[in-house]
Amino acid sequence: MPRTWIRATLTAATLVGLSLSGCGSGHATTESRDAASTRARYEETRESITRLARDLMRVNEVTGVSLALVDGDEVVWATGFGMADVDRKLEAGPRTVYDVGSLAKPITAAAVLQAVERGELDLDQRLATLIPELELAGSAEQDITLAQLLTHQSGLPSDWFIHSLSEAPPPWEQIVDEIQGLELAAEPGTRTVYSNLGMTLAGVALGRAGDRPYEQRVTETLLRPAGMRTAYFARGPEPEPVLLPTHDGPHGLAAIEHAAAYRKREARLDPEFRMAPAGGLHASVLDLAAFARLLLTEGRVGATEVLSPASVEAMLSPHNDELALDLDHSFGYAWFLDHAELDWVGRVASHGGRTYYHHARLILLPDHDLAVAVASNSLTAANVIESLAVETLILALQEKHGLEAPAPIPSVEHSASQTEHTDAFLDAHAGDYATSIGVSRVGLHEGEVWSRAAVGSSRLTLDGPDGGTVEAMPGARVRFLDEAERHLMVVQRGEKQRRTGVRLEPPAPLSEQWRAREGRWTLIERPGEVSTIRAPALHVVNGRLTLEFLGLLEYPPMPVAMALRPLDDARARIEGLARGQGTIVEFRDGGDGDGEHLWWAGREFCRRD
């Protein structure tokens, strides 16, 4: 049994906590014609990943998964496991179409670069020129460039929740009217703030740059020329699956194999993601593989140049090297250019996508001409598709180049910290930190140093005054350091440092107006809107105001507690540097004697009786 298979099995067991509930194993479908002529290639990869997929799907109760492996301009393996639609008895396969969510972002970025090549857009154009009617707080539209929309450096809030997920979303272009006067989450060009809203505005600009709507333009200039025949947007041209000349059955949407949606193998309705340029793409892994092939071949499909080599290079090059708070996180035009488990292989470009229940992942290794696309129809599949994508590439690297992944690093057993380390550490680094999953308190607990949060707590084995190790993260060191006038919690692996939290200032005394708002609130749901949170509430903990809720995009639902710093008696900012943080929470008159309503990026709440 190869060492990488052992490593993959151990990784999978760690991710899912060795929970062995669920039933049935994945079922591999017939491989695509694209791989038929190269069946002998990557044989070990196929065998090992097939076993891993079955194990992970069983443990995590995942209904269906599809996968495609790319080598250069070829799809060398494409397959599926389990069921795409149980009721229709439709097996998951390489042509199964999923809601791939944020994988629309690299597509939007590529289409914008096509428009730049044609002289229709300029990356230095300001938002005020691109969308003249848009007026943001502080005239921020005068400062934000098109390039910053593509690199997530615009400072715009991460999300806009009006019908973000909906059974019948209104036109996404209306968001321009909805966000008039919106305050930024960060100053433009100072740090990376992942933003669905920013990419949506890039889509608005693209749609206005020519004589075709966004969906039609992207489909006709990028998706179809790249070979993405079954990829589509809800309001765009229908997919064009390959059909036999004698085919007299359904065409377009009716002819594709669309995956149903599942939560722990129970069928659910997957709502539409409203902001099409940021997350409205539907595609199969073969469609995603075609996009990967386009980038690996410098923008060409055969003899046709779809995207210039310079544009491909720009997409896959970092544009945030000067942003101190990003540390070693690297971002291109809509691509993440670092990956903790693949740092050793050279250049990496990756992006994930999800809606409510579907998940997708696309990872490129440009230095090795390899890529993998994985998608699933199950809420509980996030760790499954990530593990499958990474392990597929590691095994493929072994078979293609003989490259061996670094040996797994054993966990470091906890040991009591020396007193001098503990005292020095606490003096310098104790406090509350805003992390991506809420507030974490670093300090002494039962005689040991812990980082404690609503979701999981970690005990630190200090090896010096600036940090130490955690049992659950072998090979990593948790460090605390100052950067750009912020005190950061970082995870260091080798030479790479990635930010995980920022220390919060001690809370200021709260006014009576804010204390009176403590308690449970009720989300006002619009018809057809599908909420991703439950049980919202405002609490004061150790003098710090927090917005708490259950996040429904995880199963079981994840408790989240976000720190709020009041700016005045009506407005507060969500503290932190991660996605969703920096956004303004505001109280407004609800009208009709309904008292105050809480507004948060388009979400509206009233006081619960």
Side-chain angles (χ1 to χ4, degrees):
M1 182 175 290
R3 185 174 63 183
T4 48
W5 167 251
I6 297 173
R7 192 182 75 84
T9 304
L10 291 174
T11 300
T14 299
L15 288 173
V16 299
L18 293 176
S19 169
L20 296 179
S21 59
C23 59
S25 62
H27 174 73
T29 67
T30 303
E31 297 167 349
S32 73
R33 292 194 190 103
D34 292 293
S37 62
T38 55
R39 293 180 65 86
R41 296 171 64 188
Y42 298 105
E43 183 176 356
E44 181 181 312
T45 299
R46 301 178 191 207
E47 293 175 354
S48 296
I49 292 302
T50 296
R51 294 197 300 270
L52 179 60
R54 289 171 174 166
D55 289 344
L56 289 177
M57 291 174 68
R58 181 184 66 252
V59 170
N60 290 277
E61 298 187 77
V62 170
T63 300
V65 169
S66 298
L67 181 150
L69 174 64
V70 174
D71 185 347
D73 63 353
E74 294 182 81
V75 176
V76 293
W77 183 39
T79 190
F81 309 93
M83 302 299 292
D85 191 319
V86 174
D87 290 342
R88 294 166 57 199
K89 297 181 173 57
L90 182 65
E91 295 180 345
R95 292 183 174 83
T96 301
V97 173
Y98 297 87
D99 305 338
V100 299
S102 287
L103 281 167
K105 291 183 176 71
I107 295 293
T108 296
V112 167
L113 292 176
Q114 285 182 319
V116 171
E117 292 174 13
R118 298 187 181 103
E120 299 168 323
L121 289 172
D122 189 307
L123 291 171
D124 292 327
Q125 282 181 284
R126 305 286 166 163
L127 196 52
T129 301
L130 297 166
I131 310 175
E133 73 273 28
L134 178 60
E135 296 182 1
L136 301 172
S139 300
E141 70 279 358
Q142 302 289 342
D143 302 321
I144 297 169
T145 67
L146 179 59
Q148 289 172 338
L149 296 178
L150 301 185
T151 58
H152 298 294
Q153 294 177 30
S154 68
L156 285 161
S158 295
D159 295 292
W160 185 248
F161 294 115
I162 292 180
H163 282 282
S164 177
L165 287 166
S166 179
E167 296 172 5
W172 55 270
E173 296 90 345
Q174 292 180 6
I175 287 174
V176 172
D177 296 327
E178 296 168 7
I179 64 171
Q180 295 291 338
L182 185 69
E183 295 187 60
L184 297 188
E187 184 180 345
T190 59
R191 59 185 173 91
T192 301
V193 180
Y194 185 89
S195 179
N196 283 322
L197 185 55
M199 196 61 67
T200 299
L201 295 183
V204 172
L206 180 62
R208 295 184 180 188
D211 57 357
R212 289 172 286 181
Y214 164 88
E215 294 90 345
Q216 182 181 353
R217 180 186 183 116
V218 173
T219 301
E220 293 176 353
T221 67
L222 182 60
L223 300 187
R224 298 299 177 261
M228 302 175 70
R229 297 184 62 92
T230 56
Y232 71 96
F233 294 94
R235 288 170 35 202
E238 290 199 344
E240 299 176 0
V242 177
L243 302 172
L244 293 174
T246 57
H247 179 82
D248 59 358
H251 292 73
L253 283 171
I256 65 172
E257 302 173 358
H258 198 287
Y262 297 90
R263 183 181 68 188
K264 295 178 74 69
R265 296 204 172 93
E266 295 178 358
R268 317 292 291 185
L269 175 65
D270 202 28
E272 188 74 25
F273 191 85
R274 179 189 182 192
M275 293 181 278
L281 183 67
H282 307 262
S284 69
V285 292
L286 287 180
D287 292 321
L288 299 177
F291 185 51
R293 291 160 65 188
L294 177 72
L295 299 181
L296 293 177
T297 56
E298 298 186 311
R300 303 190 73 85
V301 177
T304 303
E305 183 177 279
V306 178
L307 191 65
S308 74
S311 291
V312 173
E313 182 67 20
M315 288 193 76
L316 303 182
S317 296
H319 296 280
N320 66 321
D321 287 342
E322 304 301 318
L323 304 185
L325 286 172
D326 284 0
L327 298 182
D328 290 322
H329 283 295
S330 188
F331 298 91
Y333 287 137
W335 285 99
F336 295 81
L337 302 180
D338 64 278
H339 193 293
E341 293 187 69
L342 295 169
D343 284 338
W344 58 278
V345 308
R347 290 187 299 159
V348 180
S350 68
H351 211 293
R354 70 165 305 170
T355 52
Y356 203 115
Y357 297 101
H358 285 201
H359 294 265
R361 191 74 164 153
L362 180 61
I363 306 179
L364 283 66
L365 304 182
D367 293 340
H368 304 281
D369 283 337
L370 290 172
V372 67
V374 190
S376 177
N377 57 1
S378 300
L379 174 66
T380 52
N383 288 333
V384 173
I385 66 166
E386 176 67 16
S387 184
L388 288 174
V390 170
E391 297 304 328
T392 298
L393 289 173
I394 289 175
L395 286 165
L397 282 168
Q398 278 186 294
E399 292 201 72
K400 183 173 182 177
H401 296 309
L403 292 179
E404 286 280 352
I409 300 174
S411 298
V412 178
E413 292 187 6
H414 174 72
S415 59
S417 303
Q418 297 180 22
T419 303
E420 62 269 26
H421 287 338
T422 301
D423 293 342
F425 175 86
L426 293 174
D427 287 344
H429 310 301
D432 290 345
Y433 288 75
T435 74
S436 61
I437 55 173
V439 178
S440 178
R441 170 156 289 192
V442 174
L444 205 61
H445 176 65
E446 297 181 351
E448 299 277 5
V449 177
W450 284 77
S451 173
R452 293 185 295 152
V455 181
S457 298
S458 301
R459 182 172 54 179
L460 275 68
T461 297
L462 299 179
D463 54 20
D466 70 335
T469 57
V470 174
E471 287 182 272
M473 292 190 293
R477 187 169 184 269
V478 180
R479 294 190 61 210
F480 295 79
L481 53 86
D482 292 315
E483 188 67 61
E485 300 182 351
R486 301 292 187 100
H487 194 67
L488 306 180
M489 181 195 308
V490 307
V491 172
Q492 181 169 345
R493 289 183 172 89
E495 299 298 318
K496 298 281 189 178
Q497 294 185 140
R498 295 178 171 92
R499 188 187 72 231
T500 60
V502 58
R503 187 163 63 183
L504 304 175
E505 295 293 329
L510 289 172
S511 67
E512 289 302 316
Q513 289 96 325
W514 280 105
R515 289 191 175 275
R517 293 162 178 150
E518 188 174 7
R520 301 185 70 177
W521 290 74
T522 298
L523 177 66
I524 300 174
E525 295 188 16
R526 304 170 181 92
E529 201 172 62
V530 178
S531 176
T532 59
I533 69 170
R534 189 172 69 209
L538 287 177
H539 291 300
V540 179
V541 181
N542 297 321
R544 188 177 301 283
L545 183 66
T546 59
L547 172 62
E548 303 182 11
F549 56 88
L550 291 175
L552 303 182
L553 293 180
E554 305 294 333
Y555 193 86
M558 176 185 290
V560 178
M562 301 189 300
L564 298 181
R565 178 169 290 275
L567 304 176
D568 52 40
D569 286 340
R571 296 157 53 250
R573 188 179 297 277
I574 298 173
E575 295 196 84
L577 303 175
R579 175 177 177 172
Q581 296 171 352
T583 304
I584 296 295
V585 170
E586 183 178 7
F587 285 87
R588 305 176 184 174
D589 185 355
D592 299 326
D594 196 27
E596 285 188 324
H597 282 195
L598 184 157
W599 283 80
W600 166 29
R603 282 184 174 135
E604 185 177 4
F605 305 81
C606 63
R607 197 61 184 263
R608 183 169 183 172
D609 295 331

